Amino acid sequence: MPVTREELPERMSYWCEWAWLQDGPVRDVLIETDGARITGVTPAVEPPPDTPRLRGLTLPGAANVHSHAFHRALRGRGAEQRGTFWTWRDRMYRVAERLDPDTYYRLALGVYAEMVLAGFTAVGEFHYLHHAPGGQRYDDPNAMSAALVAAAREAGIRLTLLDTCYLSSGFGSPPEGVQTRFSDGTADEWAQRVHGFDGSHDGVILGAALHSVRAVPKAAMPVVREFARTRGVPLHVHLSEQRAENDACLAVHGRTPTQLLEEQGMLRTATTAVHATHPAAGDIARLGRSGAGVCLCPTTESDLADGTGPADELSVAGCPLSLGSDGHSVIDPFAEARAVESGMRLRSEVRGHFSPDELTMMATGTGHRALGWPDAGSIELGARADLVTLDLDSPRMAGVPPRAAVTAATSGDVTDVVVDGRRVVREGVHQLVPDVAGTLRESIRELVEDS
């Protein structure tokens, strides 16, 4: 049963030993909130009586820009087997075959609660598991979407539900097997279903996604583009995650995936390309000119042996960079941020591509903008009251300068999380989902044969 959420406090104050403000960490900061908004930020003050004290470093909330919640059931499974993304995908499909709205709700509740414990205050769910086995419609055609919305609300995290159009198994090939659960048949039918979902309310944005250039025919792309444009919502797309996708697109269209998206008007400031691991040289400039962002998912890209993308070149070209945990082999914004920098060091044999300030911005402000929450990801007047506190006294963090916290911290150092003014995590304990590990353990046992 869903956990009852506490009423949102009208006004709260928090005294922070350190707080990450516009220019970085500042000592002894009083943060005042009214409902979901920050109404006061006062540095260099003594803690007022009866005001909660957040010891350590308090950061803006992090944004998990790219999530497939059900992939969490695969963590730790198949690690002993040689293979590629494509062999992993077969195992992922077996989990997708077993999900229904009830089991997806229970799994997503645990996954989203784990995200909050890790310091994420918003998530972008790249959602393509729409229908019942065989592609049959549920009585409510958006039942799976509703399950994700309910799970996010109960876990206390904001959600951008990126309803994903998925129409083919490859260029010119119809969906096969479990992929029939992903497909609405045509782009118009996809749009009709999504238009019928009343899922947007405070804390939820209904956005759009194109699964990939191989899963949506060129002629169907404008339908998705116009849906996002007319609603003014984010549009996301998997892009050049695999070399095989590039090769197939060139063979069919004589264009790289990025060129194809550009020609179809899919690249704009509200677009986020996910991965961009293997762009052609000219594609980097195209992405930069368009104003589109790029979401990097380095722990998943490593786990699936995808490769390391050119984050430094994309950034120089003008692409805002954000972070996602994608397949959830790890749910940790600090691990993702460090992996971006370490990946660049391994590619170039040079240190120092992104500063701690830049990595922190990827995880916070840039990520929230990619999800359609431009008023989140910073600690300033009028911003959403999202606060994530790190313990600076753990053995891992002892002696680390607050400004460099992202280079050493892990999700295990998060002690307190405030989302939209509500203290969802207190001293390391989730206040809405009392047993996050048990919730995950039981939901995964329902889905995975070797649990």
Side-chain angles (χ1 to χ4, degrees):
M1 294 295 293
V3 178
T4 301
R5 301 179 67 173
E6 300 173 358
E7 291 298 320
L8 184 66
E10 291 186 4
R11 294 182 180 178
M12 281 292 295
S13 297
Y14 300 93
W15 181 84
C16 304
E17 183 180 12
W18 290 92
W20 190 288
L21 306 184
Q22 291 298 296
D23 295 322
V26 175
R27 286 204 70 121
D28 303 335
V29 179
L30 181 67
I31 299 173
E32 298 169 278
T33 71
D34 189 350
R37 300 286 171 177
I38 295 174
T39 56
V41 179
T42 309
V45 298
E46 292 296 317
D50 302 321
T51 296
R53 302 182 184 191
L54 300 179
R55 296 286 184 184
L57 171 64
T58 297
L59 297 162
N64 192 346
V65 175
H66 191 67
S67 164
H68 301 293
F70 73 91
H71 292 188
R72 171 63 178 84
L74 295 172
R75 183 184 295 178
R77 289 180 163 80
E80 73 285 356
Q81 299 171 341
R82 285 183 68 88
T84 64
F85 166 86
W86 306 102
T87 52
W88 169 87
R89 190 179 73 163
D90 292 339
R91 182 181 287 264
M92 179 266 286
Y93 279 175
R94 291 199 292 273
V95 173
E97 288 173 342
R98 291 169 170 254
L99 284 161
D100 60 33
D102 291 335
T103 55
Y104 207 3
Y105 164 78
R106 290 192 288 273
L107 176 60
L109 176 62
V111 175
Y112 294 154
E114 183 185 358
M115 289 182 193
V116 180
L117 286 172
F120 287 114
T121 57
V123 58
E125 184 63 36
F126 200 99
H127 170 50
Y128 56 84
L129 183 54
H130 301 306
H131 304 298
Q136 297 299 309
R137 291 347 183 218
Y138 290 108
D139 291 341
D140 172 4
N142 288 295
M144 296 294 264
S145 299
L148 292 167
V149 169
R153 287 177 60 78
E154 297 305 325
I157 194 169
R158 281 195 307 280
L159 172 70
T160 299
L161 183 67
L162 298 158
D163 197 296
T164 303
C165 186
Y166 189 118
L167 303 175
S168 57
S169 63
F171 293 96
S173 301
E176 301 173 346
V178 70
Q179 294 169 342
T180 59
R181 300 192 68 180
F182 310 160
S183 177
D184 288 289
T186 68
D188 288 333
E189 290 176 286
W190 167 83
Q192 183 179 8
R193 177 181 56 75
V194 184
H195 274 300
F197 181 49
D198 184 22
S200 293
H201 46 71
D202 186 45
V204 179
I205 291 173
L206 180 59
L210 189 83
H211 180 274
S212 57
V213 295
R214 71 177 186 274
V216 179
K218 179 173 72 171
M221 292 181 185
V223 175
V224 184
R225 179 194 69 209
E226 290 308 297
F227 176 92
R229 185 188 65 81
T230 56
R231 288 200 168 201
V233 296
L235 171 64
H236 289 211
V237 56
H238 288 134
L239 180 66
S240 293
E241 180 180 4
Q242 299 292 325
R243 297 183 194 277
E245 177 186 285
N246 293 347
D247 294 342
C249 191
L250 284 165
V252 172
H253 294 291
R255 305 281 190 278
T256 67
T258 301
Q259 285 178 302
L260 182 61
L261 291 174
E262 181 183 49
E263 290 177 0
Q264 296 303 309
M266 306 296 288
L267 300 180
R268 53 184 64 173
T269 56
T271 302
T272 296
V274 181
H275 301 303
T277 310
H278 301 290
D283 290 341
I284 295 173
R286 290 184 182 91
L287 288 166
R289 286 195 305 269
S290 73
V294 172
C295 176
L296 307 169
C297 306
T299 64
T300 293
E301 289 149 10
S302 173
D303 182 56
L304 299 183
D306 287 343
T308 301
D312 50 355
E313 296 176 54
L314 290 163
S315 179
V316 169
C319 295
L321 301 182
S322 57
L323 304 173
S325 63
D326 193 1
H328 309 313
S329 54
V330 175
I331 293 180
D332 186 332
F334 310 103
E336 299 296 345
R338 277 196 300 279
V340 172
E341 171 63 19
S342 61
M344 292 303 92
R345 294 182 184 190
L346 291 169
R347 279 171 62 99
S348 66
E349 301 179 41
V350 174
R351 291 166 52 88
H353 295 262
F354 296 101
S355 70
D357 286 25
E358 290 171 318
L359 294 173
T360 301
M361 180 58 71
M362 287 182 203
T364 59
T366 309
H368 280 98
R369 286 193 291 275
L371 293 179
W373 304 103
D375 54 352
S378 62
I379 299 176
E380 59 183 324
L381 291 178
R384 287 181 175 268
D386 291 356
L387 309 173
V388 173
T389 302
L390 293 173
D391 181 6
L392 295 180
D393 292 326
S394 71
R396 185 170 35 253
M397 295 298 294
V400 176
R403 190 164 217 124
V406 72
T407 68
T410 74
S411 60
D413 295 306
V414 173
T415 61
D416 293 84
V417 179
V418 175
V419 185
D420 280 341
R422 178 183 286 107
R423 197 171 180 182
V424 182
V425 176
R426 184 189 299 265
E427 298 178 359
V429 178
H430 200 294
Q431 301 298 291
L432 307 177
V433 185
D435 184 6
V436 177
T439 300
L440 286 165
R441 188 181 304 112
E442 292 305 314
S443 62
I444 292 170
R445 184 175 293 142
E446 294 181 89
L447 299 169
V448 181
E449 296 169 359
D450 59 349
S451 293

